[in-house]
Amino acid sequence: MVITKEVNLPEFSVLNVPEVDLSSATLMSAAHHLGKDCENINNEFMLCRMESRDPRACLHLGKQVTDCTMQFFKKVKSKCQHEFNQYAHCIDKSSGDYSFKKCRKTQAVFDKCMEEKLCMVRPDFGYFCRARVHESKTTPPPPDPCPCHSKVQDPTPSLPDCKPRPPPRFSSRYYWMTE
């Protein structure tokens, strides 16, 4: 990527945050509850990314997303660690593509623990696919200015028709439309 001198890059200390250093199976087993628990801050972050079109403007929200994820896993570890580990281990070892279908029993045990001890109900099927309006506290950016086409002259104007065109020599190509 090429940048110019005018672009201000953030310092490395600003970018340095603790990583969520977990395996794919662990993240997949917690994905439904994590997505529901950190839904608001994730939506704020994605809204900032789409509106600003500059990832540097959303660094503080990215840190909040990471912090929310860390806090979620600390809550799970303190209350439902054994059930969660069984479920994540089942997803990791039962199939090569991290399929959920062979782990429904351990999922039910984990979901029951999450509901009883952390008051987190697993979202129903299709919850994350539904359209919802996100109420944001941030002000939206000003709309992009509309290009004014009337002031811009066409750089390649068409050629004027100087002489009339003669009729076609071998009849019209639209002969099938005449009858």
Side-chain angles (χ1 to χ4, degrees):
M1 181 174 138
V2 179
I3 57 173
T4 61
K5 290 181 182 179
E6 290 80 31
V7 175
N8 293 323
L9 295 176
E11 294 290 325
F12 186 72
S13 60
V14 174
L15 299 175
N16 194 11
V17 294
E19 293 183 17
V20 181
D21 204 15
L22 299 172
S23 68
S24 298
T26 305
L27 290 172
M28 285 184 68
S29 57
H32 296 91
H33 293 289
L34 175 63
K36 182 80 167 121
D37 192 43
C38 298
E39 182 178 17
N40 192 37
I41 192 64
N42 284 335
N43 289 344
E44 277 294 321
F45 175 70
M46 292 309 295
L47 184 67
C48 177
R49 289 285 308 266
M50 292 296 154
E51 285 182 346
S52 68
R53 297 187 192 106
D54 185 10
R56 295 171 295 170
C58 308
L59 287 175
H60 64 289
L61 290 172
K63 288 181 181 183
Q64 290 176 7
V65 169
T66 305
D67 186 51
C68 180
T69 304
M70 296 294 260
Q71 294 304 318
F72 170 78
F73 280 110
K74 286 179 184 177
K75 288 188 283 188
V76 170
K77 185 177 179 182
S78 68
K79 302 287 184 182
C80 299
Q81 180 179 7
H82 180 68
E83 294 86 352
F84 178 72
N85 285 341
Q86 283 182 334
Y87 182 44
H89 184 72
C90 180
I91 289 176
D92 190 26
K93 301 297 182 188
S94 66
S95 66
D97 62 346
Y98 302 115
S99 177
F100 290 101
K101 65 183 171 188
K102 296 181 181 177
C103 302
R104 296 299 182 195
K105 290 180 183 177
T106 54
Q107 175 188 337
V109 172
F110 173 61
D111 289 343
K112 184 178 178 186
C113 179
M114 291 293 286
E115 187 173 352
E116 289 176 355
K117 295 183 180 175
L118 292 173
C119 299
M120 289 185 189
V121 179
R122 182 184 186 94
D124 58 330
F125 184 75
Y127 174 81
F128 296 107
C129 296
R130 291 188 202 118
R132 290 183 292 280
V133 176
H134 175 70
E135 296 293 330
S136 179
K137 294 176 178 66
T138 59
T139 58
D144 293 335
C146 183
C148 187
H149 296 291
S150 62
K151 294 180 183 177
V152 178
Q153 191 175 21
D154 189 11
T156 56
S158 61
L159 296 173
D161 283 336
C162 298
K163 52 187 175 179
R165 294 185 181 159
R169 289 186 347 193
F170 301 108
S171 81
S172 172
R173 68 177 77 160
Y174 301 111
Y175 69 92
W176 51 275
M177 293 176 58
T178 57
E179 295 180 17

